[in-house]
Amino acid sequence: MQLVPLTPDYPLVAFDCGDEDLNKFLLDDAKPSQELRIANTFILEADDGRIAAYFCLLSDKVSKDEVIGSRWKKVRSKFPKGKQFRSYPSVKIGRLAVSLEFRGQNVGSDMMDMLIRKLQGERNALAFRFITVDAYLSAVPFYEKNGLLHLTKKDEDKHTRLMYLDMMEIAE
């Protein structure tokens, strides 16, 4: 499998991950989002060219306004005095989906590893400290398994949970 950036001429074909919103994003919204410089999408292609999975990335921030109590203190304590701000730059996983055909083959976790390696390689072009995601409740265990933590308890009764990964805690 190989990870390739979505380009304007990339031939998007039928994709089914079992979630209509995620399918629709790839087929209808990914290219326009790139044209508008809102989000960049990356395709994980199987050896035969089928789309096994995809993710999109966009700019974000981890903000004091989103986090409550001890979690914010823990985030902020990682920065020296004088560098403690009300928010810190991050990259958000806007969408991440694995085709039903490739489920149960560790494709999602492999793609997370590729995503992290890709972002580590971008450190000279783009400064950010965290990866964030608004995880669907059904995807929370996947993100937990891949090292992301809950950023707040305020969203426990919502349909998504805000999660994060500190890039400084990943071994290079």
Side-chain angles (χ1 to χ4, degrees), residues 63-114:
S63 170
K64 183 178 193 305
D65 298 335
E66 298 170 316
V67 185
I68 56 174
S70 62
R71 182 64 72 181
W72 179 251
K73 290 177 187 173
K74 184 175 180 180
V75 167
R76 196 167 181 208
S77 71
K78 297 176 185 215
F79 296 90
K81 292 205 184 299
K83 300 296 180 200
Q84 294 182 346
F85 305 112
R86 292 185 56 80
S87 66
Y88 298 98
S90 67
V91 171
K92 181 180 282 284
I93 301 170
R95 300 279 193 276
L96 185 148
V98 176
S99 169
L100 290 173
E101 297 176 66
F102 292 89
R103 290 259 172 95
Q105 300 175 35
N106 214 37
V107 169
S109 291
D110 289 346
M111 191 170 59
M112 280 293 296
D113 290 341
M114 290 178 195

Side-chain angles (χ1 to χ4, degrees), residues 6 8 25 29-41 56-60 92 125-126:
L6 180 66
F25 175 82
D29 300 330
K31 287 182 180 181
S33 292
Q34 285 192 185
E35 290 171 17
L36 294 171
R37 297 182 62 115
I38 296 170
N40 289 330
T41 299
C56 77
L57 302 174
L58 57 141
S59 297
D60 195 19
K92 181 180 282 284
L126 178 65

Side-chain angles (χ1 to χ4, degrees), residues 117-137:
R117 282 195 310 272
K118 176 169 188 40
L119 291 174
Q120 284 174 322
E122 301 287 331
R123 65 189 298 166
N124 292 328
L126 178 65
F128 63 95
R129 176 67 183 257
F130 304 100
I131 296 174
T132 59
V133 64
D134 291 317
Y136 290 138
L137 294 181

Side-chain angles (χ1 to χ4, degrees), residues 28 52 73 90 102 121 144 162-163:
D28 299 339
K73 290 177 187 173
S90 67
F102 292 89
E144 288 173 336
L162 181 56
M163 300 180 77

